[in-house]
Amino acid sequence: MSAIGNSSEREETEAPLYEWLANDRHYTITPTQFIKRQQRPHERITNMWGELGTHVFNIERLENERNALHFIAENSTIPVPRVLDWSMDEHGIASLTMEALNGRVLGDITDDLSELRLKYMGQLGGVFFPPPRMHSFEPRERRAGPAIQSATEQFIYYHNDLGVHNVVIEPDSLEVKCLIDWEYSGFFPPGFEFPFWRYTFNMETRQWENEDGVADFTSRRKLLEDSTEVVETPSLAMQPPLQTFWNLFSWIRARGSRMLSVIFGLFTLRRR
C-alpha cells in the first residue's frame, strides 16, 4: 500500500482526505465519497513481497462491483454504498464513485443474499470469472467468459470476500453501516461463500488462518468443478453463430481439456 500526494489528474470535485494505491486500484476518500478506479500506468506499484500489482479481470471486476451495488440495492435491504458516478476517461481508465450510508446489524445480511437466485453461474452482466482463491479452477485461462447456464435457479448470489476488512461498522453501536468491495460477487453454487470473517490473513505465510488452522478452499473448488459438470450445454438452435461458437468453446474449456480447445479452435479457423 502506498500513499498518494496531490495530483493534477484528480477529477473529484471534493478535496480528498486521503488517497492510496493497493494492488491494481487507486482509492480516494473525501468527506462524502469513496472513489475506486483503475491505476494509471505510472501508478503501478509492487506489493510488500516485491511483486507487481496484478491486473487480472481488472475492468470486469470494477464493472461487476458497479452492477452488484445496483442489484443489491434494488433486490434486498442489505446496506451498500449508493453509486454516484461511473466514468471512463480518454485513456480507458474506469472510475467508480460511491457514497456512505447508515446500516443494520450483520445477522440478517446472509439471509437476504440467499434469497437471490438465478439460472446461471457467474457475475452480473452475463460474464464469469472465479474469485482469486480458486487458483486451481481457471477454465477461462484468467479471462472472463460467458456465464454458465443451468435449467433451474440453483445458483445463489454471494459477496465472495465477506471478511472483516469489507464490513464498515458504526463504532459506537457496532451496527453495520455498509458492505464494500463487491468486485468478485456473483451467482455461485449453494455453500460457496467462505466465512472470511472467522479468519485473519497472515502476511508472512500469505494464508488465511484462525485458531483451528489454515483455511481450506478445496471444497469450494470442488463445488465449481461439479457445477460445470451438471449444467446444460447452451442451446445451439437459439444462438447466433458467433455466440454459439463462443459458448461451445467456453463449455469445452470449462471441462479442463486444453487439447480439445486447441483442436476446436484450429478447425474453426480452417473453415473461415
Side-chain angles (χ1 to χ4, degrees):
M1 189 178 297
S2 175
I4 303 295
N6 292 331
S7 172
S8 60
E9 297 175 317
R10 186 179 299 121
E11 298 176 356
E12 297 83 69
T13 57
E14 292 185 314
L17 299 176
Y18 193 66
E19 297 180 77
W20 72 96
L21 296 172
N23 293 325
D24 53 5
R25 293 287 182 257
H26 175 285
Y27 300 95
T28 302
I29 296 178
T30 78
T32 62
Q33 299 175 352
F34 176 67
I35 302 100
K36 175 192 289 190
R37 67 164 170 80
Q38 294 175 284
Q39 289 180 8
R40 298 187 172 95
H42 70 276
E43 294 173 330
R44 296 192 65 188
I45 59 173
T46 56
N47 59 25
M48 64 183 66
W49 300 285
E51 301 166 340
L52 195 63
T54 178
H55 284 235
V56 176
F57 308 127
N58 197 319
I59 182 65
E60 292 93 346
R61 285 166 26 221
L62 204 57
E63 289 177 327
N64 185 57
E65 180 164 14
R66 175 202 61 191
N67 295 338
L69 293 176
H70 286 303
F71 178 75
I72 295 299
E74 294 170 0
N75 294 278
S76 78
T77 57
I78 296 173
V80 293
R82 184 165 65 93
V83 175
L84 298 177
D85 186 49
W86 167 264
S87 62
M88 187 172 294
D89 65 18
E90 65 274 14
H91 302 294
I93 302 297
S95 177
L96 177 62
T97 302
M98 299 159 276
E99 70 170 0
L101 50 78
N102 293 323
R104 45 191 283 236
V105 295
L106 182 60
D108 303 328
I109 290 176
T110 53
D111 290 338
D112 281 358
L113 284 177
S114 66
E115 299 298 320
L116 304 175
R117 297 174 179 247
L118 280 183
K119 294 182 179 180
Y120 69 79
M121 181 169 68
Q123 281 69 27
L124 296 167
V127 298
F128 171 80
F129 50 85
R133 62 184 181 274
M134 301 291 104
H135 296 302
S136 66
F137 183 87
E138 297 184 355
R140 314 301 178 193
E141 296 182 355
R142 305 186 78 80
R143 294 193 301 272
I148 300 173
Q149 302 294 321
S150 171
T152 61
E153 293 185 349
Q154 61 173 299
F155 300 117
I156 299 175
Y157 199 79
Y158 289 121
H159 181 281
N160 280 329
D161 196 9
L162 197 55
V164 294
H165 53 292
N166 285 327
V167 181
V168 180
I169 66 170
E170 170 58 48
D172 295 327
S173 66
L174 299 184
E175 287 185 326
V176 175
K177 297 191 69 175
C178 61
L179 299 184
I180 61 174
D181 199 359
W182 292 76
E183 291 192 13
Y184 282 100
S185 63
F187 292 92
F188 287 86
F192 189 72
E193 185 82 81
F194 190 83
F196 282 105
W197 60 88
R198 299 175 184 170
Y199 292 80
T200 301
F201 189 73
N202 188 318
M203 294 295 185
E204 294 183 359
T205 64
R206 301 179 67 178
Q207 293 180 316
W208 291 92
E209 303 174 352
N210 63 12
E211 62 275 10
D212 296 324
V214 176
D216 184 3
F217 302 119
T218 305
S219 61
R220 269 70 179 183
R221 295 190 183 105
K222 190 173 188 307
L223 282 175
L224 285 186
E225 294 166 358
D226 291 345
S227 294
T228 60
E229 294 299 327
V230 301
V231 296
E232 296 183 339
T233 308
S235 173
L236 301 183
M238 299 180 63
Q239 302 287 343
L242 290 178
Q243 186 64 45
T244 298
F245 166 75
W246 176 249
N247 284 347
L248 186 57
F249 181 65
S250 300
W251 179 76
I252 292 174
R253 292 172 65 190
R255 278 143 183 80
S257 176
R258 293 180 181 271
M259 183 60 68
L260 283 178
S261 298
V262 172
I263 294 173
F264 188 78
L266 292 175
F267 174 75
T268 304
L269 290 174
R270 290 186 62 185
R271 295 193 60 181
R272 290 182 177 175

